[in-house]
Amino acid sequence: MNNYQRGYGPTGKHSNPATSVLSRGKTLTDKHHHNTTGKTMTNQQAQQSYDIGMIGLGVMGRNLLLNMADHGYSVAGYDKDQAKVEALRRESTEQTIAAKTGLVDFIALLSQPRSVMLLVPAGAPVDSVIDDLLPHLNIGDLIIDAGNSYFKDTDLRTRKLAAKGIHFLGVGVSGGEHGARHGPCFMVGGQKQAYERVRPILEAAAAKIDGDPCAAWLGHESAGHFVKMVHNGIEYAVMQLIAETYDLMQRNLALNDEEIREVYASWNQGELNGYLIEITEHIFAQQDEKSGGHLIDKIVAVAKQKGTGMWTSQSAMELQVPIPTIDLAVAMRDLSGFVKERQQAGAIYQLALPRFAGDRSVFLNQLGRALFASTIIVYAQGMALLKVASSQYKYHLDLEAVARIWRGGCIIRAALLDDIRLAFRTKRYLANLLLAPNLAQKLIDHQDDLRQVVCHALTSGVPTPGFMASLAYFDAYRSLWLPANLIQAQRDYFGAHSYERNDADGTFHTEWDKP
Ligand code: 6PG
């Protein structure tokens, strides 16, 4: 079994019960309330006995609650939408789950100090739920925002709530619907003490790799949401790279869906092993009941986004950290939406894609190796961004811990993360993964494949901007010489911006010999 698959999903119930600071395992029914020792509880006791509350019973919130209940915690859910409350009740086989449509009733269920998790859409809904909650909370209660919130919003909320004596954690949760139900990855930011209160629950619910939970406190304030944002940036870029391999296989090599599926299946057995490759194989196996063909061929080729990839690029620009493959992935989702313009451009610049004339199996091997090289480069860009953000925003991130928890539960989990973890274990303050000996050796071994694939794509006319950006980043990063002296000269020429010399200290300006 593959490394990341081995740890996917919870390993069992009731882990770490002795260290739990929370009441656990109480059984409640409508009429009589019993705890696990079989003693009858009074209504008053029953009313303040739930370990954690969840606001937002959409698919993620519901599944996460069910997951926590599986691990012996009593959980209460709240949603204004009666249908969502009913959906949770229907799926609740455990008696330790309560669901309410009234906020006051919901709050009354929670043991004190209270822990309330929010899984609502990022942005204004988070503030509105917090405003609704505040009048019902006491000093020392804890709010956990488990959505994909923008990290600067998390900082503001943390400070606003701290002033009122309310603890706040910004938690990045990855793994989608299945992960939420069977073991996600939790990237936690906020006060460490507040995390300690819910740590047993999150660790129990998280995916495990060799028994090690994919959950960690990563730093203060928005550290967790920042790391989750960069996780998503990496996710966008790897998805774009995989899509480019599909494009080459389909339009240049003329492989059919089943042949493409076989390629992803074989890649998933080797160094490329990871969740995104695995689901891509499954996607190419999916039949469409309606048309009888493969579903992939019926899906409109316009990629949507909820903004986290764009935030990653924006943040990287702000921090002046180059992450060109991630930028390109966001841009390509945008470009996919320009359908009408692309139709017009296609009519003007007609291009007949030449048929592939080489040895398919040789090329497919090269393509897989190019994908692996580019994937390393994408993680290098993402980790380099985390490194700079960590010092700029004083997160004090432990990047080895980030790599460790990303090995399970999350969307970008992959066998490669073991190597990335090792790189940071060997050198904690590594500036860039391309400087790590273990990854450098892999890139040295694979760089020629990446170059060959990019050359082939260029001549074939199939766009592979993700591969190209990765290769260009690699070539620029390893080059001591970049032609930036010319840019400095141009700036000084038209704007008197000055320049530095390589043979003398100080700044200089030249009255250029303007015509
Ligand atoms: C995860 C995913 C998830 C992601 C959404 C929307 O880690 O589980 O990253 O949180 O944000 O699937 O992503 P889009 O921006 O592509 O809509």
Side-chain angles (χ1 to χ4, degrees):
M1 194 176 282
N2 298 320
N3 192 24
Y4 82 91
Q5 290 168 326
R6 205 172 49 233
Y8 186 57
T11 51
K13 290 186 170 192
H14 304 289
S15 59
N16 203 15
T19 58
S20 173
V21 292
L22 298 151
S23 56
R24 302 185 47 132
K26 299 179 189 95
T27 305
L28 291 107
T29 64
D30 282 336
K31 290 180 187 150
H32 304 288
H33 310 294
H34 300 278
N35 62 20
T36 44
T37 60
K39 288 181 190 153
T40 303
M41 294 163 69
T42 64
N43 266 327
Q44 180 62 27
Q45 281 170 321
Q47 270 202 346
Q48 293 184 349
S49 62
Y50 283 79
D51 296 325
I52 190 162
M54 176 74 74
I55 297 188
L57 299 178
V59 73
M60 290 293 288
R62 185 174 74 243
N63 280 335
L64 202 47
L65 266 196
L66 291 167
N67 177 356
M68 290 167 178
D70 279 351
H71 289 83
Y73 290 97
S74 53
V75 296
Y78 162 76
D79 204 297
K80 279 182 190 157
D81 184 346
Q82 180 76 35
K84 287 183 180 153
V85 167
E86 289 304 333
L88 176 62
R89 285 184 183 148
R90 266 197 309 279
E91 284 192 56
S92 306
T93 49
E94 306 263 349
Q95 293 294 308
T96 50
I97 301 175
K100 299 281 179 193
T101 47
L103 188 60
V104 174
D105 294 346
F106 161 75
I107 297 283
L109 290 173
L110 305 178
S111 63
Q112 298 194 40
R114 302 178 183 92
S115 299
V116 186
M117 185 176 272
L118 319 184
L119 252 167
V120 297
V126 176
D127 291 311
S128 136
V129 168
I130 290 174
D131 289 343
D132 289 349
L133 255 181
L134 275 178
H136 306 284
L137 297 184
N138 295 332
I139 286 178
D141 285 348
L142 167 64
I143 298 176
I144 305 156
D145 175 12
N148 273 331
S149 288
Y150 181 51
F151 74 101
K152 290 185 182 174
D153 290 343
T154 301
D155 286 332
L156 293 175
R157 289 170 188 142
T158 305
R159 288 164 208 171
K160 173 182 147 181
L161 290 167
K164 296 178 192 299
I166 304 292
H167 299 295
F168 187 65
L169 294 176
V171 179
V173 182
S174 179
E177 196 179 330
H178 186 266
R181 184 68 186 87
H182 300 288
C185 169
F186 292 109
M187 294 153 253
V188 183
Q191 300 106 329
K192 190 149 195 286
Q193 279 172 308
Y195 174 56
E196 290 304 327
R197 274 168 48 184
V198 286
R199 180 177 166 166
I201 303 184
L202 297 191
E203 288 191 348
K208 312 283 186 305
I209 295 285
D210 300 332
D212 188 16
C214 295
W217 177 83
L218 298 171
H220 292 287
E221 298 199 334
S222 57
H225 277 147
F226 195 94
V227 170
K228 175 59 174 36
M229 179 189 76
V230 175
H231 164 285
N232 282 26
I234 294 171
E235 171 187 300
Y236 275 49
V238 175
M239 289 165 77
Q240 172 63 27
L241 291 167
I242 296 173
E244 291 175 15
T245 63
Y246 157 50
D247 203 6
L248 279 166
M249 287 192 272
Q250 188 190 45
R251 288 204 289 168
N252 187 241
L253 274 71
L255 300 192
N256 64 32
D257 290 332
E258 175 51 22
E259 289 168 325
I260 295 173
R261 186 201 65 74
E262 282 170 17
V263 173
Y264 290 122
S266 80
W267 285 353
N268 197 36
Q269 299 307 311
E271 62 193 6
L272 279 165
N273 170 246
Y275 176 73
L276 284 168
I277 297 284
E278 181 193 323
I279 64 165
T280 307
E281 180 206 338
H282 296 169
I283 287 165
F284 279 90
Q286 186 73 41
Q287 297 292 317
D288 176 35
E289 285 174 10
K290 217 169 159 193
S291 67
H294 284 89
L295 180 56
I296 185 69
D297 301 315
K298 297 291 163 201
I299 296 177
V300 174
V302 173
K304 304 274 170 61
Q305 55 184 304
K306 294 210 183 83
T308 47
M310 179 185 72
W311 293 342
T312 311
S313 285
Q314 287 171 333
S315 308
M317 285 284 173
E318 257 177 51
L319 294 170
Q320 298 185 293
V321 181
I323 54 163
T325 316
I326 295 172
D327 299 338
L328 246 312
V330 178
M332 288 305 286
R333 287 199 189 189
D334 293 339
L335 192 56
S336 74
F338 287 59
V339 178
K340 278 209 173 115
E341 284 180 45
R342 287 191 289 111
Q343 263 168 4
Q344 290 168 5
I348 299 169
Y349 305 105
Q350 287 181 17
L351 174 72
L353 295 179
R355 270 190 77 93
F356 182 80
D359 182 324
R360 275 184 179 184
S361 67
V362 169
F363 182 75
L364 286 171
N365 185 45
Q366 259 178 348
L367 188 60
R369 289 172 61 81
L371 178 58
F372 185 62
S374 298
T375 304
I376 295 174
I377 292 166
V378 166
Y379 278 92
Q381 293 172 13
M383 288 303 199
L385 174 56
L386 287 181
K387 168 92 177 28
V388 174
S390 176
S391 96
Q392 181 72 20
Y393 300 134
K394 308 208 171 12
Y395 292 145
H396 306 291
L397 293 175
D398 173 355
L399 294 182
E400 189 209 330
V402 172
R404 176 173 59 77
I405 62 170
W406 280 356
R407 292 177 310 149
C410 70
I411 304 297
I412 63 168
R413 63 190 187 270
L416 174 63
L417 278 155
D418 280 331
D419 300 298
I420 295 175
R421 185 187 179 194
L422 177 64
F424 287 110
R425 192 190 295 158
T426 311
K427 194 166 179 198
R428 187 182 165 129
Y429 297 107
L430 185 67
N432 192 303
L433 284 174
L434 300 190
L435 302 176
N438 63 333
L439 292 162
Q441 193 51 55
K442 289 183 194 298
L443 277 173
I444 290 165
D445 290 347
H446 291 68
Q447 60 172 324
D448 194 47
D449 301 291
L450 177 54
R451 199 170 300 284
Q452 293 300 324
V453 165
V454 167
C455 286
H456 177 80
L458 275 170
T459 50
S460 74
V462 175
T464 54
F467 278 117
M468 291 181 191
S470 303
L471 179 61
Y473 174 84
F474 171 70
D475 279 338
Y477 188 78
R478 66 165 173 173
S479 175
L480 182 56
W481 165 256
L482 289 175
N485 51 339
L486 178 55
I487 292 167
Q488 284 296 81
Q490 291 162 334
R491 290 178 69 242
D492 191 57
Y493 188 113
F494 60 69
H497 293 298
S498 79
Y499 56 88
E500 287 159 352
R501 296 184 62 97
N502 55 25
D503 57 359
D505 290 339
T507 52
F508 299 87
H509 167 62
T510 296
E511 285 303 316
W512 297 86
D513 194 13
K514 297 178 186 171

